[in-house]
Each structure stands twice: as structure tokens, then as C-alpha cells.
Amino acid sequence: MTPNSGQLEMTFAPGENTFKNNLDKGIFTLLIEHDSPGADVAPEEAGRRLVLLDQAVQRASEIMPTGLAITDQYNFSHSHRAAEYAGALPPERRNAHLIYLSGRETTFERMVELIQLCRNAGIRNLVPVSGDFHNNMTRNVFTEDVRTIKWIKENYPDASPGAVVNPYKYRADTQFAQFFKLIKKLKTGSGFVVTQAGWDMRKLQALKWYMEYRNLDFPVIARLMLLTPRSLEQIRNGAFPGITVSPDFEAILHNELAFSAKQFEAAQWRRLELQAAGCKFLGFSGIQISGVDTPDKIRLTAMRIKAALREFSSFDQWVEEYCAYQAKAEMAPTPNSFMMFEGLLSRQYFDPTVRFCRNGLFSNVKMQDRLLYFIKSMLFKHCDGQRPSGRRILKKILAGCSACGQCRLHDTAFICTEKCPKKLANGPCGGVRQNGRCEISSAMCVHSKITAIREWRHDPDKLEDIYVPANDEF
Ligand code: SF4
């Protein structure tokens, strides 16, 4: 029995949507990230701890607007489902927070059940994610976040679904692929954005500038991480796919670690304060901080962040301090990394005259891939109308077809998305590696390839506009 499982049939009148109201009013919000506990914690005990955290958050809200971001299936191989766990909160407090919905090891039917549970419990602020791969997975099933957002929009109109994006990509194809998918999620019905965690403030500014360049006026929350020696080790071991620490930054952290655990902690707090202040200058609507989810740390975090937001009188003063603190370290993981705009961090606001870089995309499409594209576009032009067995051998040889029987090659630049280990059809997950390879296998991410082909064909808009159904959605 999970904390919320008795509420499937009950419907609560939702309390005020404090989180959304703050976003709508442009009030800078602090979210404390809290992982739903492992399944080994008894539901009553898990619920009791959550209520204590919520009370700590209420006290912190006297300092600055604060809520929880309750993650789902994150950092544990098996955890309480956030949608069920959040039911332990008092009904009037359930919309002060963000509730994640992970697609990992979750069939679409189970996802719908979780959303219905949220609807019945009056929980409105939902953040669907496709989910990270985990070695202890018992079954290889993922429900794609775009599909979840679509279902929420069509069936739970009172909900406010968010969209996650990983802006910390350093190749043109992987960076654009993330942003195109973000736009698809916004067009599908997301009303706000949450980023992956990272430390390169240029990438956060690039996201904001790109959204402005595309006239996308949506609130964005930046996810920040208070590093601990343990979380640093986990990042090194690949436990958090999609989170990048550059060699330069790693050397700084290594030096900080060499002094003492206490000094390391102090250095991370200062880094966090600087990032928080920078996010405000860059126009973010709030921050989501991981690594501080104990009742005593929540109040301390609110106090420190509030002080940091007041510390700098200008953007230039903040940039100077931030760059000095990072010892001008290169935050990109490789030399000559892709930056979408020139002059990032040299000015606060987006200027339409600033140089926008798309180069690097076309060069990724080799001559043989171009030729193959033309052959496939002739052979498989009407593949959606073909019987599952139609041209099966040719499809297998030329497009890597896995014979799912629901051909969508015409929507995916004739590259079979069934080759994605998570079977994501609408764009990449955030875990795609910095070299463009898959989070799980050593192959190139299919969506890196699709993005490059679309760019070369001058039709990248298709990546934002066409919803590609899953193979069981016909
Ligand atoms: S192919 Fe791409 S989207 Fe699929 S799991 Fe690998 S990195 Fe993620």
C-alpha cells in the first residue's frame, strides 16, 4: 500500500496552485529537489517524512517562495512512485510543489493510472520525463515524455505539465535536437520548462536566448546541484546520465576536495549562490536545487539563496565574480565545443543582431548518408501504408527496421527509432553522450542522426511539429 493508493476513487478539491501562481506573476521561486524514497521505506514512514519536509518548506516560504520538486524513480532502482507518494501531503499543499512522472519501467497504461491518481488527488503540477536507464531495471520499458504530456493535455485540462530539457550539449546536432524536442513538448501542451543540472552558465543563457529568438515566452526553472563528494563520484561513474563535468571543472573540484570535506562543502555552497544569482540575471523564473532535502538545510538554503539574489547590483558585477570563482575554467568538456550564440555572458539580454550559429550540423551528414537518404526516400515514401511485411528486408538493410509493424520511417527521416533502446520516437533523451552517442549503447543516438539529416534537408521544423506515435499507439 503506497501513501496515495487509497485515493484512486476519491476526488479532492485542489488547493491554490501556489507554484503556478508564482510562475505567472514572475516571482522567483526556489524548489527543493527531493527524491521519492526507495521502495524499502514503509509507506507510512515515507509519508511522515514528506509531511515534515513540506512543513520545512512552508517555513522557508517566509523567506522566499519555496516548494518541493518530488522526483520519480530517480537515484533509486525502485522507489515509491512520486504521484502516489505526494498523496501524503495535505490536500491544500499539493500544488505548492512539482511532481515528476518517470517513464522508466512504466507502461503507458500505468502512466495513465498515475496521472488519474494525481487528478483525483488534485495534484496539478506534473513534470513527465522519459527516465534514465538503470542497471537494475527488471524490464526495458519506457513511456516517452511527449506522449505523457499529450495525454495530460487531452484528458486533464486543469493540470499544468512541464517540459524538461538538457541545455548542456556541446555539438550542434545534440544541442539542436534537445531544443527541437523542447519546442515539440511546448507545442504539445507544456506550460513551463525545467533544465537538467549543470554548471556552465553560458548554456543556460543560450537556452534563454534561443527561446527568445524563437519567441517562446515560457517560464524556465534551472536545475542546480549542490555537489557532495558522493554525488561527484556518482557523476564520474555515470550514475546521472546527461550531467557533465568538464576536465577543467573537475580539476577545480579535485583541488577543493583536497583541503577538507568542510571546505569542499563551503566551496559548493558559494558556487550554488553564484549560480542562483546568475539565473535571476539571465531571466530564469526560479531554481530547483538537488542535494539539500533535509528540513534543517531547507531553511538555510532559502536564506542563502535570498542573500545571493541581493548580493550583486548588476549583471556585469555578477559575471566578473562568477568567472573569477570558476578561475576562468573551461566548462565545455572538449575543445572547440559548439556554442549556439556568439558573445554568451558578454551581455545580459538577447540582441537579435547577435550571431546565431548553426554550423556544424551539415558537416555531420556524410556523403554516403546523403545518398542513403535519397534511396530510402524513394523506396519507403509510402511505407506508412504498407503491410508490416512490405519491403521488410530492404527496410532492415537500409533503415535498421526492427519490424515493429507500425512503420513511421516517413516521419523520422527514414531512420528507424525502434533502434533507440528506450524506443523514443519524438526526439532524444537528455542522456545522449557528448560525442553524440547513445546513453545506453555505443551506437550514435538515432535522434542525433535524424536532426542532422533534417537540417541538411532544410526541414528541421518537422522535428518540432510532428507527433510521432509509439509503436503501440495505432
Ligand atoms: S538512442 Fe538517443 S534517445 Fe535513445 S536512449 Fe540512446 S541517447 Fe537516448
Side-chain angles (χ1 to χ4, degrees), residues 40-71:
D40 55 329
V41 180
E44 295 72 22
E45 175 58 15
R48 191 189 67 79
R49 289 187 207 165
L50 181 59
V51 169
L52 288 179
L53 283 179
D54 176 55
Q55 288 166 356
V57 158
Q58 285 185 67
R59 289 192 292 277
S61 293
E62 290 161 13
I63 300 162
M64 69 177 290
T66 308
L68 292 170
I70 304 178
T71 64

Side-chain angles (χ1 to χ4, degrees), residues 419-421 432-433 435-446 448-449:
K419 285 196 292 185
C420 162
V432 56
R433 292 172 199 273
N435 58 8
R437 293 189 182 274
C438 174
E439 169 196 329
I440 300 168
S441 77
S442 59
M444 281 302 282
C445 169
V446 293
S448 302
K449 287 192 201 170

Side-chain angles (χ1 to χ4, degrees), residues 211-341:
M211 290 181 69
E212 207 165 329
Y213 174 75
R214 298 293 308 272
N215 296 317
L216 297 165
D217 187 14
F218 290 86
V220 189
I221 307 261
R223 182 172 178 237
L224 308 177
M225 191 182 242
L226 183 76
L227 277 171
T228 61
R230 180 168 179 267
S231 58
L232 180 57
E233 197 54 38
Q234 285 177 302
I235 292 171
R236 282 185 186 133
N237 294 339
F240 299 125
I243 297 189
T244 302
V245 172
S246 72
D248 264 18
F249 184 39
E250 174 137 18
I252 291 175
L253 292 168
H254 184 78
N255 287 340
E256 289 169 353
L257 208 47
F259 283 104
S260 68
K262 227 174 172 50
Q263 288 219 12
F264 182 78
E265 189 184 346
Q268 304 324 307
W269 272 107
R270 181 60 186 150
R271 184 163 286 118
L272 190 70
E273 289 164 4
L274 283 168
Q275 281 194 282
C279 287
K280 181 98 192 283
F281 279 118
L282 297 178
F284 282 78
S285 300
I287 49 176
Q288 173 180 318
I289 302 182
S290 74
V292 292
D293 65 338
T294 56
D296 52 329
K297 271 192 185 167
I298 289 175
R299 187 175 165 81
L300 175 72
T301 305
M303 285 165 60
R304 294 186 82 137
I305 297 301
K306 176 138 191 194
L309 299 182
R310 289 178 170 165
E311 184 180 339
F312 301 98
S313 58
S314 71
F315 173 76
D316 291 342
Q317 192 198 11
W318 168 77
V319 172
E320 200 175 316
E321 176 72 14
Y322 166 75
C323 293
Y325 194 76
Q326 293 292 73
K328 297 195 166 42
E330 178 52 67
M331 300 302 280
T334 49
N336 306 318
S337 290
F338 174 75
M339 289 290 154
M340 196 170 268
F341 297 95

